[in-house]
Amino acid sequence: MAKAIVFYYSRSGNTKEMAEIIAKAMNDAGLKTECKSVEKVKADSLPDYDAIVIGSPTYYGQMAGPIKQLIDDLVGRHGQLDGKVGGAFTSSANIGGGNETTIMGIIEGMLIAGMIIQGDAQGDHYGPVSIGKPDDRVRQQCVRRGQRIAALTKNILS
Ligand SMILES: Cc1cc2nc3c(=O)[nH]c(=O)nc-3n(C[C@H](O)[C@H](O)[C@H](O)COP(=O)(O)O)c2cc1C
């Protein structure tokens, strides 16, 4: 049976809240999805998942250190995420605060791993972005992204 994971780093809860909304939307769309803090995720476990979604606060326009560390820890599993579905999201303090570069940094790592990333022509193009605590717009974007990742994953596996 297909399974997915959403993991995140979050100090003040904004990214965690986004992760929980995305994971719920994926589960509601029929893709069994775990939601975990990055500290509870081992790189060696990631090849077990069909879809991997990563959330990080924007730190100096980039992903936070613990997320980068886990991506770096994947080197021993290089090639084993090939063909899996990926997605990324972030929370930042400011509009134009480096949020999209943060998402793209995560996606770059996913592409190097051979993962499949779907953009969005209507929603947040690269992945959901929250300025501070998620508001209604962000919550909708997180639900939309979760639904799209679940649909793509199920299509690829069918
Ligand atoms: C070390 C550090 C660096 C940050 N760098 C940025 C930044 O470059 N741009 C920005 O808009 N916000 C920046 N922030 C603010 C966080 O991205 C923002 O508060 C975010 O919502 C925190 O997410 P969290 O609640 O999941 O921890 C920074 C915060 C910290 C602690």
Side-chain angles (χ1 to χ4, degrees), residues 73-97:
D73 289 347
L74 275 165
V75 70
R77 295 281 183 171
H78 193 64
Q80 294 181 24
L81 301 185
D82 191 63
K84 295 178 184 293
V85 173
F89 57 98
T90 190
S91 168
S92 67
N94 303 302
I95 297 172

Side-chain angles (χ1 to χ4, degrees), residues 16-148:
K16 179 181 182 192
E17 199 174 322
M18 297 174 80
E20 287 169 346
I21 297 166
I22 293 169
K24 181 178 185 307
M26 290 167 68
N27 277 306
D28 288 349
L31 179 62
K32 190 173 179 307
T33 304
E34 298 165 24
C35 184
K36 290 185 175 174
S37 170
V38 67
E39 292 88 357
K40 296 192 174 142
V41 178
K42 296 263 183 295
D44 282 348
S45 73
L46 291 180
D48 297 343
Y49 297 94
D50 301 293
I52 300 166
V53 187
I54 303 178
S56 174
T58 292
Y59 281 2
Y60 294 94
Q62 300 171 34
M63 72 187 91
I67 296 291
K68 182 64 166 67
Q69 185 63 60
L70 188 61
I71 291 174
D72 290 353
D73 289 347
L74 275 165
V75 70
R77 295 281 183 171
H78 193 64
Q80 294 181 24
L81 301 185
D82 191 63
K84 295 178 184 293
V85 173
F89 57 98
T90 190
S91 168
S92 67
N94 303 302
I95 297 172
N99 35 52
E100 289 188 328
T101 48
T102 298
I103 289 179
M104 289 310 295
I106 297 169
I107 288 176
E108 282 172 14
M110 291 177 163
L111 290 173
I112 289 167
M115 296 176 70
I116 299 165
I117 319 294
Q118 185 178 26
D120 192 335
Q122 267 82 44
D124 285 2
H125 301 316
Y126 304 123
V129 172
S130 183
I131 308 303
K133 190 173 165 53
D135 59 12
D136 284 349
R137 188 205 72 84
V138 173
R139 285 195 195 93
Q140 280 173 14
Q141 291 300 320
C142 289
V143 170
R144 178 180 169 87
R145 182 61 58 157
Q147 289 170 339
R148 287 169 64 82

